[in-house]
Amino acid sequence: MRKVNFFQSIHLKFVLIYVLLIALAMQIIGVYFVRELEETLIDNFKNSVVDRLDPLEYTVAQEISSSLSGNRSEDEPTLQQSIRQLLGGLNSEDIEEVQIIDTRSRILGTSDDSNQAIVGQRTTSNDQVQEILSNDTDLQQEETYMDQGNRVWVLAQPIITDQGETIGVIWVKSQIENVYEQMDEINEILAGGTAISLVITAILGVLLAQTITRPIAAMRSHAVDMAKGNFSRKVKVYGHDEIGQLAITFNNLTKRLQEARATTEAERRKLSSVLSYMTDGVIATDRRGRVILINDPAAAMLNVSRETVLSMSLPEVLGIEEEYSVDDLSTQTDSLILNFGTDAKPYILRANFSVIQKETGFVNGLITVLHDITEQEKIDAERREFVANVSHELRTPLTTMRSYLEALSEGAWQDQEIAPHFLEVTQTETERMIRLVNDLLQLSKMDSRDYRLNKEFVNFINFYQRIIDRFDMGRSQNVTFKTKLPQEPVYVEIDTDKMTQVLDNIISNALKYSPEGGQIRFKVELKEREKEMVVSVSDQGVGIPRENLKNIFERFYRVDKARTRQLGGTGLGLAIAKEMITAHEGRIWASSVEGRGTTIYFTLPYDPTSEDEWS
Ligand code: ADP
């Protein structure tokens, strides 16, 4: 978690706001208080001075009046002497000097003992006194000024008789500096108080900020944990204020988120198991066509690894980037056939595309479903080929018969020599058709699901021998039979009817392709280790070219079409044999040397241990 820079922290903001508020309040209070106090103190000072002057003024006025009226007796002290007396002892801490000046600007007396020389002299430099005397005003004149670094306050007050006549001026010089010193002290106290309250405010601010930041910091670390997927923690609720409410809401939110996440996770798991267990391949892309999801079947179908295709473009993954763009695929409504097969190994996929759209119509991505249709295509192709083959096989004898019957109806029936031959041909063709239809019925029966073998335990040696004997008796060609069969009985579980048909087909082929004087060898070999019995029929006939060997068990496959048809074959004999042997859990194959002969082998499972029970 990144730490919050101190200069951006709520702590600092709180402290700053508090300190500034207190400083501002103190400032406003201070200015107002100091100004008021200063005014009051100065007024008090001035009043106290004036109060002390008032009785002086009265007596001085008496003295001057009596002196002016000239009724002062000889033994009485002079005016100056009596004024001196009046002024004596007037000096105090705040009153520095008091002067009495008459209307002619002559100093009648001063309270300053050291300055008695000026008594009787005229004063002209004293502005306030001059102001009163020259303007004959009865108003007080005052001034505050600096004198040797100290503030002094001078007051000139006219001495007025009861008749309203100005007869002199009292001039006072007082030390007002004391008042200002007092003010300075008060200011210092105020500043000290402000400083202390600011410090206390700062500390309180830090503490208060902590009560807010602590739960916020807890919620923040909780949110970080939540982002990492840890929903188990809970935020501590410190109180029921707004932050407490926020913490409760936060805890609720955590719970909801946890539930939502669990649901999403469950959905995701469900979806992923559906995707991985479905047989179809699914590929999802984002809106730019880049693969964001591919399930295992899709990866297997396209033979790619999930890691390599993720974020590759869809047409590229499907190998169709030259023909189609992502836009083409998103508008592709029909399914697309992707042929990945070779001649040797067909492999065809069908791809269907659907667009993931928001309600607004905004395309969010593309879903591709892949389906392996190789088998289906193969079955379809086989079915088409089969129908074509059947039609062809039936048309050939029918055409032959029609031409013969036409010839007969056109008069050949009257020909004693030709007519029997023609009728024989139509009969042979009819029989071949019946054989063909029977074979087809047989195959279709085996193709159907409810095809069942009617198995029973028989001694295969006896069974085989009887079939060989039947052929031996009925043969018309000059072919010799040679058998090499085990002496002891071999018991196998077979459907005797079906197995008879298998051997009939193989032996009749051997006879069909054997030359005059040829030999047919019948053999049974026991392979105890493999628990199987190998039955083989070998002839010395034309043989089968190597490249055709693997095809002879296919339906309607003939090596030499013209000749086999001539020999009455339907092309289904070995196909039926193969189906039947497979149903008996055996294998069938052929080996041949062209011009020298062919051997058809098949195996049947047998259990050597059960031999004793049957013998
Ligand atoms: P058909 O009824 O035409 O003989 P089969 O399915 O029995 O059909 O045989 C398929 C083809 O395999 C034959 O057309 C023939 O070309 C070839 N074939 C089968 N057996 C032999 C054999 N013993 N010797 C030579 N070719 C054979």
Side-chain angles (χ1 to χ4, degrees):
M1 187 163 73
R2 203 169 61 88
K3 261 197 100 56
V4 178
N5 185 337
F6 175 73
F7 293 102
Q8 294 170 343
S9 71
I10 287 184
H11 273 104
L12 182 70
K13 286 178 192 159
F14 254 91
V15 172
L16 269 182
I17 289 169
Y18 270 93
V19 166
L20 285 176
L21 276 179
I22 294 294
L24 188 71
M26 292 301 274
Q27 202 60 35
I28 292 168
I29 293 170
V31 166
Y32 177 75
F33 172 75
V34 166
R35 208 189 61 206
E36 287 294 307
L37 191 67
E38 194 179 291
E39 271 174 20
T40 314
L41 283 179
I42 287 169
D43 281 353
N44 284 352
F45 177 83
K46 287 178 181 173
N47 286 340
S48 84
V49 171
V50 171
D51 284 350
R52 270 181 283 170
L53 285 185
D54 281 346
L56 181 69
E57 186 202 343
Y58 178 73
T59 28
V60 168
Q62 294 282 314
E63 289 292 335
I64 295 174
S65 300
S66 68
S67 165
L68 283 176
S69 60
N71 51 7
R72 195 178 269 270
S73 58
E74 281 299 307
D75 53 336
E76 272 181 283
T78 61
L79 176 65
Q80 286 179 359
Q81 279 171 332
S82 37
I83 286 177
R84 180 143 191 221
Q85 227 168 9
L86 285 172
L87 295 178
L90 204 72
N91 275 16
S92 66
E93 207 183 319
D94 19 278
I95 296 177
E96 195 183 307
E97 188 183 0
V98 182
Q99 288 181 6
I100 309 291
I101 297 144
D102 67 12
T103 46
R104 284 174 296 165
S105 301
R106 213 158 40 105
I107 297 168
L108 295 176
T110 170
S111 64
D112 189 354
D113 288 338
S114 57
N115 203 17
Q116 288 301 321
I118 60 163
V119 176
Q121 290 183 8
R122 276 172 65 90
T123 172
T124 45
S125 59
N126 204 322
D127 293 342
Q128 289 79 31
V129 176
Q130 292 313 315
E131 179 78 22
I132 292 172
L133 293 180
S134 54
N135 294 343
D136 195 17
T137 171
D138 52 2
L139 290 175
Q140 291 178 340
Q141 300 296 320
E142 59 174 304
E143 194 192 349
T144 307
Y145 62 90
M146 292 300 282
D147 179 34
Q148 293 164 8
N150 283 334
R151 251 169 291 217
V152 290
W153 180 59
V154 288
L155 173 74
Q157 185 174 315
I159 305 167
I160 300 164
T161 61
D162 295 338
Q163 290 76 38
E165 190 190 350
T166 305
I167 50 170
V169 178
I170 301 180
W171 180 86
V172 187
K173 184 182 181 187
S174 57
Q175 280 293 343
I176 205 170
E177 184 63 31
N178 288 346
V179 174
Y180 285 97
E181 274 171 12
Q182 234 176 330
M183 273 316 298
D184 283 349
E185 270 170 39
I186 290 170
N187 273 340
E188 267 169 36
I189 293 170
L190 209 64
T194 308
I196 292 170
S197 62
L198 286 181
V199 171
I200 293 172
T201 310
I203 294 167
L204 281 178
V206 170
L207 293 178
L208 193 76
Q210 263 178 6
T211 63
I212 294 170
T213 54
R214 204 181 301 133
I216 292 178
M219 275 186 260
R220 186 175 175 227
S221 98
H222 185 90
V224 170
D225 268 10
M226 248 159 59
K228 286 179 192 157
N230 178 8
F231 290 94
S232 59
R233 273 182 57 191
K234 266 193 155 195
V235 174
K236 194 174 166 198
V237 181
Y238 287 95
H240 289 283
D241 55 5
E242 287 86 340
I243 291 187
Q245 298 280 327
L246 179 64
I248 292 170
T249 318
F250 198 86
N251 284 339
N252 279 342
L253 177 76
T254 311
K255 213 169 116 196
R256 293 273 157 78
L257 255 176
Q258 190 174 12
E259 282 165 7
R261 210 179 120 111
T263 322
T264 321
E265 186 62 18
E267 288 298 322
R268 201 187 60 76
R269 257 191 244 122
K270 239 188 274 172
L271 181 69
S272 99
S273 71
V274 166
L275 282 177
S276 52
Y277 285 111
M278 64 193 290
T279 48
D280 284 349
V282 177
I283 303 173
T285 71
D286 61 13
R287 70 193 151 81
R288 281 177 301 158
R290 306 205 171 279
V291 175
I292 51 171
L293 183 149
I294 177 165
N295 70 350
D296 293 342
M301 280 178 191
L302 298 170
N303 195 20
V304 291
S305 82
R306 189 190 295 256
E307 291 72 31
T308 51
V309 294
L310 281 182
S311 81
M312 257 169 84
S313 103
L314 181 65
E316 214 179 317
V317 175
L318 297 178
I320 49 171
E321 67 272 28
E322 278 170 22
E323 298 94 338
Y324 294 92
S325 70
V326 176
D327 286 342
D328 294 340
L329 295 183
S330 54
T331 50
Q332 178 84 17
T333 44
D334 297 334
S335 44
L336 213 67
I337 302 297
L338 310 170
N339 195 345
F340 292 112
T342 54
D343 284 346
K345 199 166 177 263
Y347 186 47
I348 305 165
L349 295 181
R350 189 181 62 214
N352 286 82
F353 304 94
S354 61
V355 172
I356 317 169
Q357 260 176 333
K358 279 189 178 174
E359 285 157 15
T360 52
F362 182 76
V363 174
N364 235 359
L366 198 62
I367 296 274
T368 311
V369 178
L370 296 174
H371 190 69
D372 185 349
I373 53 164
T374 315
E375 203 54 36
Q376 195 185 327
E377 279 293 299
K378 201 174 129 202
I379 291 169
D380 283 353
E382 276 174 1
R383 189 177 297 128
R384 281 194 297 274
E385 196 186 323
F386 184 73
V387 171
N389 279 333
V390 171
S391 327
H392 181 76
E393 290 303 322
L394 286 172
R395 200 183 54 189
T396 318
L398 283 171
T399 328
T400 318
M401 280 162 66
R402 188 178 62 186
S403 50
Y404 277 87
L405 287 171
E406 267 172 12
L408 282 170
S409 66
E410 277 164 16
W413 63 277
Q414 287 168 320
D415 191 316
Q416 290 284 323
E417 275 184 29
I418 299 172
H421 173 63
F422 277 20
L423 283 171
E424 197 189 308
V425 171
T426 50
Q427 203 176 350
T428 318
E429 290 300 311
T430 315
E431 270 161 18
R432 199 154 74 90
M433 265 171 28
I434 290 170
R435 263 202 317 277
L436 181 73
V437 172
N438 279 341
D439 282 354
L440 282 172
L441 277 176
Q442 182 78 49
L443 272 174
S444 94
K445 242 193 266 169
M446 283 189 293
D447 285 344
S448 74
R449 260 159 220 234
D450 48 319
Y451 173 69
R452 257 193 221 108
L453 291 176
N454 209 354
K455 279 183 176 177
E456 55 181 313
F457 269 102
V458 292
N459 178 357
F460 189 80
I461 308 303
N462 280 350
F463 168 78
Y464 195 18
Q465 189 65 61
R466 273 204 304 277
I467 294 173
I468 298 168
D469 290 346
R470 174 158 55 80
F471 273 96
D472 203 4
M473 309 262 264
R475 79 191 140 95
S476 50
Q477 297 145 279
N478 177 21
V479 175
T480 51
F481 282 12
K482 193 173 172 203
T483 55
K484 193 179 174 198
L485 308 177
Q487 293 299 305
E488 70 278 6
V490 178
Y491 285 92
V492 286
E493 199 182 14
I494 51 168
D495 181 328
T496 47
D497 286 350
K498 305 281 171 350
M499 200 48 69
T500 308
Q501 209 176 334
V502 170
L503 287 167
D504 278 2
N505 288 349
I506 296 172
I507 299 169
S508 58
N509 277 348
L511 279 169
K512 250 192 275 180
Y513 300 105
S514 277
E516 272 295 302
Q519 188 187 56
I520 298 179
R521 289 191 305 280
F522 303 93
K523 207 164 145 191
V524 170
E525 256 185 294
L526 297 178
K527 295 205 166 160
E528 296 199 1
R529 211 150 48 95
E530 285 91 1
K531 291 186 173 181
E532 61 179 21
M533 173 181 76
V534 184
V535 184
S536 59
V537 179
S538 314
D539 61 57
Q540 295 174 332
V542 286
I544 304 164
R546 179 183 281 273
E547 66 273 18
N548 301 115
L549 263 183
K550 62 180 188 308
N551 298 326
I552 58 169
F553 298 99
E554 284 171 18
R555 296 173 187 192
F556 297 113
Y557 188 84
R558 296 185 183 91
V559 178
D560 181 344
K561 289 199 168 47
R563 201 177 61 188
T564 37
R565 214 169 270 132
Q566 221 175 23
L567 294 168
T570 60
L572 293 172
L574 286 181
I576 293 171
K578 188 186 174 182
E579 292 283 344
M580 285 173 172
I581 292 297
T582 313
H584 279 85
E585 286 157 39
R587 292 170 288 125
I588 187 164
W589 71 99
S591 74
S592 179
V593 180
E594 243 188 306
R596 298 274 297 275
T598 307
T599 305
I600 306 286
Y601 301 90
F602 67 85
T603 68
L604 283 176
Y606 100 107
D607 186 2
T609 54
S610 66
E611 213 80 319
D612 302 336
E613 297 163 31
W614 296 92
S615 53

